[in-house]
Amino acid sequence: MTTVVTSGVFPSTTLDPSKVTGAGTADIRWGTSDSRSGYQFRGSAADIQLDGTEFVVGTFVHRNFPVYVEPDEFDVNLTVSVVFEDGSTTDLHFTFHHNETPNDTGSSPADDDLVDLRSFVHPRPVTIAGKQYKAVLSGFRRDGRIFRQFRSPEGAVNFAEVLCMFSSDEPDAIISGLHYLGTGPSQPDEYVEIRNRGGAPQDLTGWVVECKTTGRSFSFPSGTVIQPGGRYRVYTNETHPEFGGFSFGSAQQVWRDEGGIARLRRGDFVVDQFPYGDKGFNKTDTP
């Protein structure tokens, strides 16, 4: 484990520079003198592990007010400076893609602005204590939930933590969470979550998620690839496209409320196991 302190600036955007103020600082704005929206990045201090464990690299702030810019979709670049406890430093470069959706016209309410991470993996290896790692962003965390798209309501200042991890060059798919106390008689909103905490994509074709206790299983379809920092969820009997759209399609509860064991298999090889409830603990990979 090591400690880092971070700070960040937005060096550039694909917008016309005449429409932008604050480029090169932690607070970039766009729009007119009457109304400006923009991003702010607030650094943090964190104890980190170099095994794909997520940590908060900073707080993303979107000041979302009625503005009119052309084009209404554009990129904003972010540079995060990371200072390690031994005094060494590294800069990480990522890109946000911004969708400045239509404002409230009176006849129709404003849509949430949308912010996507255009780049999740820093393009070059990072050397820490003589070893090389990949720096990967997992996404935005709000209210304990992690998303890869940030929805920003109009007319407000909206916040999210930005999660990062230092990983090896190889893929590393694990069971990172299990929501086993669902709602309703058959608990269709239960899910098991798979996360790639490695620095390379993992092909999950034919991999199986199974509940050892109930015997129910799900096989990932051909062509399923999970990107570095990505999360897929397999729901009991719901479909959520933002997490891959996978479902057991079971009209009955998959995960026994009293406890059990979730497994991730590739063929006969058990890649990861996740005991919960009366099998020892209800662990989670989310910080």
Side-chain angles (χ1 to χ4, degrees), residues 64-193:
N64 186 7
F65 301 106
V67 298
Y68 299 91
V69 292
E70 291 292 340
D72 55 10
E73 293 194 39
F74 50 90
D75 290 344
V76 181
N77 298 311
L78 171 68
T79 297
V80 179
S81 176
V82 182
V83 181
F84 296 89
E85 60 184 328
D86 65 0
S88 60
T89 64
T90 190
D91 286 342
L92 308 177
H93 303 282
F94 304 100
T95 300
F96 296 90
H97 182 72
H98 186 84
N99 184 351
E100 189 73 44
T101 57
N103 299 306
D104 192 335
T105 63
S107 59
S108 60
D111 293 327
D112 294 348
D113 284 4
L114 304 176
V115 184
D116 292 277
L117 282 162
R118 181 73 86 185
S119 54
F120 289 93
V121 183
H122 176 65
R124 296 181 300 279
V126 176
T127 301
I128 306 172
K131 294 184 179 181
Q132 288 193 334
Y133 299 88
K134 288 280 189 72
V136 181
L137 294 185
S138 296
F140 304 101
R141 185 169 66 184
R142 300 177 71 177
D143 302 322
R145 300 181 65 190
I146 300 171
F147 304 90
R148 288 210 154 189
Q149 182 182 74
F150 180 88
R151 301 190 66 93
S152 183
E154 195 77 27
V157 180
N158 303 300
F159 303 80
E161 294 173 320
V162 180
L163 297 185
C164 185
M165 60 187 184
F166 289 108
S167 307
S168 65
D169 285 339
E170 297 83 20
D172 188 9
I174 62 167
I175 299 173
S176 55
L178 179 60
H179 174 57
Y180 66 93
L181 294 175
T183 58
S186 59
Q187 303 189 27
D189 58 335
E190 299 171 324
Y191 63 80
V192 58
E193 183 177 82

Side-chain angles (χ1 to χ4, degrees), residues 16-71:
D16 182 338
S18 66
K19 302 176 182 177
V20 177
T21 60
T25 75
D27 193 345
I28 190 170
R29 306 291 181 93
W30 51 83
T32 66
S33 58
D34 296 330
S35 183
R36 287 189 177 274
S37 289
Y39 295 169
Q40 184 181 37
F41 185 84
R42 300 174 181 173
S44 68
D47 294 327
I48 68 168
Q49 301 181 57
L50 304 175
D51 60 355
T53 299
E54 295 165 309
F55 66 96
V56 178
V57 73
T59 299
F60 172 76
V61 183
H62 180 213
R63 288 176 166 80
N64 186 7
F65 301 106
V67 298
Y68 299 91
V69 292
E70 291 292 340

Side-chain angles (χ1 to χ4, degrees), residues 137-138 148 165 194-197 226-232:
L137 294 185
S138 296
R148 288 210 154 189
M165 60 187 184
I194 308 300
R195 182 169 76 91
N196 182 3
R197 65 180 182 181
I226 187 169
Q227 297 298 323
R231 282 176 162 80
Y232 284 153

